[in-house]
Amino acid sequence: SGAAAEGASAPAGGHAPADSRAVDTVPPRKPLLFPVSGRGESALRAQAGRLGEYVGGYAGAPEALAYALAGTRTAYEDRAVVVAEDLGRLAEGLDALAAGTGSARVVQGRARAGRTAFLFSGQGSQRPGMGRELHAAQPVFAAAFDEACAALDAHLPRPLREIAFAGPGTDEALLLDRTAWTQPALFAFEVAAHRLLEHLGVRPDFVVGHSIGELAAAHVAGVLSLADAAALVAARGRLMDALPEGGAMAALQATEDEVEPLLADHAGRVCVAAVNGPRSVVVSGDAVAVAALTAHFAGRGRKTKQLRVSHAFHSAHMDGMLDEFRAVAASLTYHPARLPVVSNLTGAVVADAEIGTADYWVRHVREAVRFADGIRALDAEGVTTYVELGPDGALSSAGRECAGEDAAFVPLARTGKQPEPQAFAHALARLHTLGAADGLDWAAVLGASAPAPRLELPTYAFQRRRHWIDAAAPAPATTAHAPAPAPAEE
């Protein structure tokens, strides 16, 4: 897949037009989250029905109703969230939930125990305009994105925002596929997404990145300051981009054990660049050698995909930039991690003494990305919810093949699926229904100006059942009969 390794090209698409100045429209209302819950699905549907009737006669602000539902009602295990911009759309979603017919506006699930990991995407997940819509809709994201751009701009020939926010088809958008710009843009987006989730009360137990994504993970974990992380990210992209172009990369439907014995036939001209799943391996190196491996597995009926890349990343083709990159990495200050970081190099939680060295980050450029091992390690640590913080959901697709059956993957954005604010709102809704966002700051989610919850909402829709007590043994004939016992009700 495109996120399988460094340098995969961005998919076409994006919601904003190439020249946003040509559009004169009223911005859409911010999507609101209306949570509903119950003990059992029948109770959940009954509660949605009651609330739907209430909404039919409600004339107040939608924000007040959303805030009241979030702030004055217990969140039971069976949960749903209606994502809607106004009362009409809310009513439609509640009707669908009550009827059990499903709706694109309704996110439904059941809260469960488990830990949470944040996934930071690698190259290939970039797209034109990435972050622009969230920047306009979420002030915390905007402030964090701008701060990251300011740190990165000190090392770039022109402002990063011009490149990241460019519309499809523009010259700037084409630059976004250049490694020198792709890596800083992904770093800025992912750090801003993390800061936004943190502000809203969603925090991870672990962080893991895919290639360049691990630098974002290391920064949010506290290993590198923003200034030092920006210097390392910019140097990584610039030095890779300056290498002679050539080489190739391909994604193969094969196990690592199947690929490894074949590498010896090519005398070091190709290597494993990433292990993304049980049967998902990326190879990288000389074009002829990569083509031979691709033909080998294609001839056996396996799926193969040539990746659109400018360089053969995570291979010997990177050797020419390692010394200069090491010098940059050695000039930085490293700190103990405040969050456990799962390493691409080992697929396990990395020690401070290892991740805080220049040697680690040089090996990180050159060696294979062991993403599948990392997901398996997180699964063993009890992680059940994975939140992908990139501009697309490629890691979520790969991770599902490695984690347990009950694992949930929640991408914050999906290319071409929804505008960024709507996608983000649906992701928050999903996290709430999974129980992974029980620390959610609803006032922050709905805006600091949200009114206090003082609404007389419908009471809980109890699911009443009658239980008859077994009749007592017949009394002696000389004793008067007692009245029949009354049914108990719950």
Side-chain angles (χ1 to χ4, degrees):
S1 69
E6 296 291 2
S9 64
H15 300 281
D19 185 357
S20 59
R21 294 169 298 178
V23 178
D24 184 19
T25 59
V26 177
R29 288 183 64 112
K30 178 181 177 181
L32 297 172
L33 307 186
F34 297 87
V36 189
S37 71
R39 287 177 169 162
E41 187 171 352
S42 59
L44 175 64
R45 290 171 59 179
Q47 193 67 20
R50 284 193 178 189
L51 188 57
E53 294 176 3
Y54 176 84
V55 170
Y58 176 75
E63 293 83 357
L65 179 56
Y67 196 35
L69 288 170
T72 66
R73 288 290 180 267
T74 300
Y76 295 109
E77 291 82 4
D78 286 273
R79 301 179 181 184
V81 177
V82 180
V83 182
E85 296 80 12
D86 54 43
L87 295 176
R89 292 178 174 87
L90 169 61
E92 292 173 9
L94 289 170
D95 288 347
L97 178 58
T101 56
S103 167
R105 304 186 194 285
V106 178
V107 180
Q108 189 173 346
R110 184 175 177 83
R112 73 273 175 81
R115 306 168 87 179
T116 300
F118 282 2
L119 311 179
F120 296 83
S121 309
Q123 245 174 277
S125 59
Q126 74 274 8
R127 53 177 165 78
M130 52 185 274
R132 183 169 65 181
E133 295 167 336
L134 266 181
H135 191 280
Q138 295 283 355
V140 172
F141 179 94
F145 188 90
D146 291 348
E147 184 182 20
C149 284
L152 290 158
D153 286 349
H155 309 281
L156 300 173
R158 59 187 292 190
L160 176 61
R161 227 174 90 173
E162 293 180 3
I163 309 303
F165 286 4
T170 62
D171 291 342
E172 287 79 9
L174 294 176
L175 283 177
L176 185 61
D177 285 342
R178 295 296 311 183
T179 301
W181 293 104
T182 311
Q183 297 191 24
L186 287 172
F187 176 84
F189 182 102
E190 292 167 5
V191 169
H194 178 271
R195 298 298 176 215
L196 176 56
L197 286 176
E198 186 178 53
H199 170 72
L200 298 178
V202 183
R203 295 179 174 85
D205 297 295
F206 299 88
V207 292
V208 60
H210 194 290
S211 200
I212 183 61
E214 189 168 326
L215 275 79
H219 165 60
V220 302
V223 175
L224 289 164
S225 68
L226 180 58
D228 280 353
L232 194 61
V233 169
R236 193 178 190 270
R238 181 184 71 253
L239 293 171
M240 286 181 176
D241 200 53
L243 291 169
E245 293 193 9
M249 301 181 75
L252 309 176
Q253 185 186 41
T255 67
E256 187 177 12
D257 288 342
E258 289 174 324
V259 173
E260 281 288 352
L262 304 177
L263 301 180
D265 296 337
H266 300 281
R269 291 180 287 117
V270 64
C271 65
V272 170
V275 182
N276 291 327
R279 286 162 56 87
S280 179
V281 173
V282 175
V283 292
S284 179
D286 292 358
V288 172
V290 170
L293 288 175
T294 302
H296 173 86
F297 287 101
R300 284 155 178 75
R302 305 291 184 83
K303 294 179 182 178
T304 65
K305 181 180 180 181
Q306 193 80 13
L307 302 184
R308 294 171 55 195
V309 295
S310 59
H311 297 80
F313 300 99
H314 296 282
S315 78
H317 285 237
M318 296 291 102
D319 290 350
M321 54 85 71
L322 297 183
D323 288 344
E324 193 171 348
F325 183 68
R326 181 186 296 277
V328 175
S331 71
L332 308 178
T333 301
Y334 299 91
H335 308 275
R338 297 189 297 268
L339 287 168
V341 180
V342 174
S343 168
N344 284 174
L345 295 179
T346 64
V349 173
V350 64
D352 291 333
E354 185 176 4
I355 196 172
T357 64
D359 183 63
Y360 178 86
W361 294 108
V362 171
R363 291 176 56 210
H364 190 265
V365 168
R366 182 62 177 82
E367 296 181 19
V369 177
R370 306 203 65 81
F371 178 74
D373 289 343
I375 297 297
R376 282 191 283 262
L378 290 169
D379 189 62
E381 291 281 358
V383 171
T384 56
T385 303
Y386 299 82
V387 189
E388 184 169 357
L389 276 65
D392 195 16
L395 290 187
S396 295
S397 299
R400 287 188 182 96
E401 298 181 9
C402 310
E405 291 184 1
D406 62 340
F409 287 80
V410 184
L412 295 187
R414 296 297 296 267
T415 298
K417 298 291 185 182
Q418 292 174 306
E420 289 175 348
Q422 281 73 19
F424 183 74
H426 277 81
L428 281 184
R430 179 73 173 135
L431 293 175
H432 172 71
T433 63
L434 291 169
D438 282 349
L440 203 61
D441 182 343
W442 286 99
V445 170
L446 298 169
S449 61
R454 296 178 181 176
L455 303 179
E456 294 295 330
L457 297 175
T459 56
Y460 182 73
F462 288 98
Q463 302 301 288
R464 301 182 183 277
R465 292 176 295 169
R466 303 179 78 82
H467 301 275
W468 290 89
I469 299 174
D470 292 337
T478 56
T479 305
H481 288 287
E489 184 176 4
E490 71 167 18

